[in-house]
Amino acid sequence: MDEMAEWGCKWGAFEVTREVLFANEKDSSADYSFKTPWTPATELLNRVAASFSSLKFELNFETENAEVKGRMVWADGRKIFDETRGGGA
């Protein structure tokens, strides 16, 4: 498997956790937390958001030593917000 193509970073995720924040008949929210090496997993989120276009995805990230950090949001199957700071981005 080509991790860069799949995840957008050198290796896949590690230290993965999931927490259901709330769930009812109309709405639900879950929080997934994971670590990836060096860069956020944007390729993964691009594919997942496209596959589940009725859902909203938010990625908050920070690289080691906080060189690059930010927030990205996907809705309607595409990235609608990208606030990346640092690293020349």
Side-chain angles (χ1 to χ4, degrees):
M1 175 192 315
D2 181 359
E3 300 289 347
M4 187 61 90
E6 292 291 316
W7 285 83
C9 53
K10 188 170 182 171
W11 301 297
F14 58 98
E15 293 184 27
V16 178
T17 62
R18 179 182 68 99
E19 176 184 5
V20 175
L21 302 175
F22 65 88
N24 59 44
E25 291 177 7
K26 296 177 117 182
D27 257 342
S28 60
S29 179
D31 182 66
Y32 288 85
S33 177
F34 55 88
K35 293 183 178 183
T36 58
W38 302 324
T39 58
T42 54
E43 292 305 316
L44 173 70
L45 270 289
N46 286 336
R47 282 195 324 282
V48 170
S51 295
F52 299 94
S53 61
S54 64
L55 301 178
K56 178 182 172 185
F57 297 88
E58 181 174 333
L59 175 65
N60 295 289
F61 61 92
E62 183 174 318
T63 61
E64 203 169 321
N65 302 322
E67 292 174 357
V68 179
K69 57 186 169 181
R71 178 175 165 257
M72 297 177 185
V73 178
W74 288 258
D76 299 321
R78 62 187 177 81
K79 189 187 319 178
I80 61 168
F81 181 81
D82 185 345
E83 180 181 54
T84 302
R85 299 176 303 280

